Each structure stands twice: as C-alpha cells, then as structure tokens.
Amino acid sequence: MHSDPSTPWERQFEELVLGVLPRHSRHAPLDPALDLKTAGLDSMATVELLVRLEEAYGVDFPDSVLSGETFATPAALWRVLTAQRATAATATATSATAGEGEPPCAS
C-alpha cells in the first residue's frame, strides 16, 4: 500500500529515512537511487534508522542483511525491508496455522 504512486514505498518509510539524513531536506522527495552515505547516513544514524524501521514495521533485520549494500540507497533498503516484512508475515501465518486443530488445554 503506497500513498504516493510516484515512489516505490510507503510514506512512513520515506519519513523515517528522511528523519535521519542531515544533508537532505525533509521537504524534498527521496530519490530511490540517493547515496545515503553522501546524504549523511553515518553509523549512528544507521542504527537509529534500523531501530525505527523495526519498531514501525514489526520486523527484525537479521545480521545477514546488515551490510553497506542494504543501507546504500533508499531503494535497496526498501527491498530488504519488504523481504523482512514478507518473512515476518509468513512466520506469523505459519505459527497461527500450527496452532489449529490442537485440543484446548485442560485446566
């Protein structure tokens, strides 16, 4: 669900990314190919963004995706976030299905 058809992501994602980029105007659109490091994404801002994304989207980024490539551009970060959301949704559906058909616990 995208609020702006001209961007590949949700507005919330754009706001979270813009919120940690000191060298990019919060009022300018976020270019999918923007070099986040050049825009001011340092190690502290990366950690802050990671935490904000995990909290906002209810996902956990595994160590295997925590790389410079993931945080290189907004488009790369959105792809990884989208994949983590799909993984989380699958895990939730699987755990909900696993509980079906089990007898209720006797008290």
Side-chain angles (χ1 to χ4, degrees):
M1 176 188 320
H2 304 294
S3 57
D4 180 353
S6 67
T7 61
W9 47 66
E10 298 170 357
R11 180 73 189 145
Q12 178 182 20
F13 171 80
E14 185 161 331
E15 290 171 359
L16 290 170
V17 173
L18 288 173
V20 298
L21 298 178
R23 294 186 217 134
H24 192 281
S25 169
R26 288 188 54 85
H27 304 291
L30 189 60
D31 180 343
L34 175 69
D35 182 321
L36 292 175
K37 192 172 186 178
T38 300
L41 189 70
D42 60 16
S43 59
M44 292 298 290
T46 299
V47 171
E48 183 177 343
L49 179 58
L50 178 65
V51 170
R52 288 180 182 187
L53 290 171
E54 287 182 336
E55 289 176 354
Y57 289 97
V59 298
D60 290 314
F61 285 82
D63 291 344
S64 62
V65 301
L66 300 180
S67 68
E69 289 178 13
T70 296
F71 293 92
T73 66
L77 183 56
W78 178 250
R79 279 191 300 274
V80 172
L81 175 60
T82 301
Q84 294 312 306
R85 291 172 74 186
T87 299
T90 300
T92 300
T94 301
S95 65
T97 304
E100 291 178 6
E102 293 180 8
C105 294
S107 301

